[in-house]
Amino acid sequence: AEDGIRDIGVTGVQTCALPILRDITSAELTLLYDRLRVTAGLSPTSIRHVHAMLRRMFNWGLNRGLVRDNPANGAEAPSVVQHAPQVPETETIRKHLEILEQSGDVLSVAVMLDLTYGLRRSEIAGLRWCHLDMERGRMSIREGVTRVPGVGLRVTQTKTGHQGFADFVLPDEVLGRLRSHREHQEKLCADAGVDFPTNGYVLWSDPLTGAGLRPDSLTQALRRHCDNHPELPRVPFKQFRAFVYSSLRELG
């Protein structure tokens, strides 16, 4: 709605789109969700994302007097069944980690951070060298990154905002791995004849700019790793996070 108003002005929106929006009912939105489920094959989670987007859109128009009510409030979106997280076996984690450590690529660093701290993908991808104090052995989590279609990477807060801010101690093993990773990046920059971006991302996609990775690219890299090792149970990033929390609960 905001983009449309910027493009054609409030008058244009009122004469073109608003009469249609004002006539939409809650029942019609419910039927839309049913069609998305049956015809388009969308999952309940995806449909609830559509529902949330429509509700925000109508609220935006309602607060500005452009529509009379918000039909999304009365629409029925499918429920999402919450399944208990699957926790991989310790031996499975150990074998995956051994293989990844031999590769020495950015995925091994991402998995190491995930298994040590239970970070989200966006937080791992959003980690910059300025968030690390290598002398004191400390790491701060203050932001994440998301990919916006048509825009690219966008820096955000953590998923839970300020409640997601955290400061961690870097154990010697993790600190040593990060130092080796940084030395590798510094060598790539020296070979390319550019200065090392001290504010660049720990997991970068381009040594010339220090630009970060898309969180989805970590998922894709882990999927390729699992495809290359079908002898091991597949482990997505969410299960690494569940493994950390399960281990912490066992330790009290």
Side-chain angles (χ1 to χ4, degrees):
E2 291 183 54
D3 291 341
I5 286 180
R6 281 195 293 268
D7 290 342
I8 63 177
V10 175
T11 302
V13 172
Q14 290 175 333
T15 56
C16 299
L18 289 182
I20 300 174
L21 294 176
R22 287 169 177 159
D23 292 337
I24 293 177
T25 66
S26 299
E28 288 174 326
L29 291 182
T30 299
L31 291 174
L32 168 66
Y33 302 152
D34 291 342
R35 286 196 295 271
L36 291 176
R37 179 74 182 274
V38 176
T39 305
L42 266 63
S43 68
T45 299
S46 297
I47 296 173
R48 291 197 72 88
H49 287 325
V50 174
H51 175 62
M53 178 189 66
L54 289 172
R55 187 171 59 244
R56 289 195 299 269
M57 181 190 74
F58 278 105
N59 275 338
W60 186 91
L62 186 63
N63 292 335
R64 289 157 179 79
L66 302 177
V67 294
R68 291 184 293 270
D69 58 13
N70 187 340
N73 289 334
E76 182 180 347
S79 300
V80 177
V81 178
Q82 298 291 341
H83 298 284
Q86 295 182 346
V87 180
E89 298 290 335
T90 301
E91 185 64 14
T92 298
I93 293 293
R94 185 186 64 79
K95 290 180 178 179
H96 276 293
L97 195 56
E98 285 179 353
I99 296 171
L100 288 169
E101 286 177 344
Q102 292 174 3
S103 68
D105 59 10
V106 294
L107 179 60
S108 66
V109 177
V111 171
M112 176 197 67
L113 291 171
D114 204 356
L115 284 173
T116 306
Y117 303 106
L119 302 177
R120 295 182 174 89
R121 291 179 314 158
S122 60
E123 295 166 349
I124 296 173
L127 189 63
R128 301 173 187 262
W129 287 113
C130 61
H131 297 147
L132 299 174
D133 186 337
M134 308 293 274
E135 297 300 323
R136 296 175 57 239
R138 306 284 297 183
M139 178 177 70
S140 299
I141 302 299
R142 293 292 184 272
E143 62 188 32
V145 293
T146 57
R147 183 179 67 87
V148 180
V151 176
L153 288 182
R154 175 174 292 175
V155 177
T156 66
Q157 287 189 339
T158 63
K159 185 176 181 180
T160 53
H162 286 81
Q163 294 180 351
F165 287 4
D167 295 289
F168 294 111
V169 174
L170 295 171
D172 290 341
E173 183 178 353
V174 175
L175 188 58
R177 181 70 182 87
L178 288 171
R179 282 174 173 159
S180 298
H181 180 61
R182 176 161 176 154
E183 289 171 0
H184 175 67
Q185 287 189 341
E186 289 174 342
K187 183 178 183 302
L188 290 177
C189 288
D191 293 342
V194 297
D195 294 332
F196 178 75
T198 56
N199 196 39
Y201 288 94
V202 174
L203 305 181
W204 64 16
S205 61
D206 184 358
L208 297 179
T209 63
L213 289 170
R214 294 183 294 106
D216 287 349
S217 67
L218 294 175
T219 301
Q220 294 164 3
L222 183 58
R223 186 180 298 123
R224 289 193 297 269
H225 159 77
C226 291
D227 290 341
N228 292 333
H229 298 279
E231 73 279 6
L232 297 178
R234 302 182 72 88
V235 182
F237 269 101
K238 282 187 176 181
Q239 289 189 17
F240 286 140
R241 185 173 165 86
F243 176 81
V244 172
Y245 289 161
S246 176
S247 300
L248 290 174
R249 284 196 299 269
E250 289 179 5
L251 293 172

